[in-house]
Amino acid sequence: MDIEKIIEVHGDYLLKVAYLYVKNTATAEDIVQDVLIAFYQKQEQFRQESSLRTYLVKMTVNRSHDYLRSWKSKRLTLLEKITGLTTAVTPEKEFLAKSTKRELVEALFTLSVAYREVLILYYFEEMTTVEIAQLVCCPEATIRTRLQRARKQLAAAMGDYDWEVLRHESI
């Protein structure tokens, strides 16, 4: 497989996934770089039981978890926030969209990793609860419970929010 093509197709997506876990752009870039290097060095281990994207996301999630468990992550603080491109025409709409997105991201970062993870995978990555359960290696019922609790915690932090809108937004 051509690593340049893999980076072109999946690099930005993996960076978003890593960032949503570690909350730091530089660290997320390091994680994605490590994942891509590891994949390139051991690509023969990829058995194509899932799509390449799913495989790389799993590697990124695992690497992000490893980082969050490390002593280094406990010493770092959040220095950067996600800024997204908006399609708003007026400055008022653009400000409102950025403000809402910032509020969502800040509220998302107040959740524990387990709850943040299911929300990210369900709403932003559009995975089913079955797929999430397979990805994080736990029962589907646990995923549904985490999703329900995460929604309640996020709703408390944000107030009323149309959750299905998230499926069509990107961070």
Side-chain angles (χ1 to χ4, degrees), residues 64-121:
S64 297
H65 280 204
D66 292 345
Y67 173 80
L68 291 173
R69 284 189 295 263
S70 74
W71 66 271
K72 185 177 180 181
S73 74
K74 293 175 176 67
R75 293 183 176 202
L76 295 178
T77 59
L78 178 61
L79 300 174
E80 299 175 5
K81 302 210 188 276
I82 296 176
T83 57
L85 300 174
T86 62
T87 58
V89 175
T90 66
E92 293 84 7
K93 287 182 180 179
E94 186 173 334
F95 174 78
L96 183 59
K98 284 184 178 181
S99 176
T100 302
K101 189 174 282 189
R102 185 173 22 257
E103 181 183 346
L104 173 62
V105 169
E106 288 172 359
L108 194 60
F109 285 152
T110 65
L111 302 178
S112 69
V113 173
Y115 291 159
R116 187 178 348 145
E117 176 177 57
V118 295
L119 286 175
I120 291 166
L121 295 174

